[in-house]
Amino acid sequence: VQIKGLYGIEIDRSDINDVNLVDIMPAVIRKTNGFDCGNILKGNFLLQGGVKAKLYVNAGKPPFIEITTQEGLIILNQGNPERTAALFQSLLHD
């Protein structure tokens, strides 16, 4: 999985421990190093419960894909429910 851009990352499939599709994202407490413009969140954030996560989301356009790796939690979406669901299915089956 590759996310391009200033805060981009690359995740090897072998590093993925779990993948879930959720309708509600944990509350964002604060940005630690990233981009925050309204609903667009990219980079490193602190979430409710003290969870550190990398976010690549349009927070106003659920659902969200939660990817758990050895390095931590990554949450992303495509800003479109159908595209997000299709990406989730490809992560499960590829």
Side-chain angles (χ1 to χ4, degrees), residues 39-82:
N39 284 334
I40 307 299
L41 307 171
K42 295 182 181 183
N44 299 302
F45 290 80
L46 183 64
L47 305 180
Q48 184 175 8
V51 176
K52 295 178 182 178
K54 292 187 180 292
L55 304 182
Y56 303 93
V57 300
N58 180 333
K61 303 277 185 169
F64 306 97
I65 300 170
E66 293 183 342
I67 301 173
T68 305
T69 70
Q70 293 286 82
E71 301 296 318
L73 179 63
I74 300 153
I75 302 175
L76 58 100
N77 71 357
Q78 295 285 308
N80 170 303
E82 294 80 21

Side-chain angles (χ1 to χ4, degrees), residues 18-53:
D18 196 20
V19 179
N20 293 296
L21 188 66
V22 298
D23 289 323
I24 299 172
M25 194 175 81
V28 175
I29 303 301
R30 68 182 155 92
K31 170 180 63 179
T32 56
N33 181 14
F35 175 80
D36 175 0
C37 184
N39 284 334
I40 307 299
L41 307 171
K42 295 182 181 183
N44 299 302
F45 290 80
L46 183 64
L47 305 180
Q48 184 175 8
V51 176
K52 295 178 182 178

Side-chain angles (χ1 to χ4, degrees), residues 7-21:
Y7 298 99
I9 60 170
E10 193 167 320
I11 308 163
D12 289 332
R13 289 190 186 275
S14 62
D15 293 337
I16 295 175
N17 296 335
D18 196 20
V19 179
N20 293 296
L21 188 66

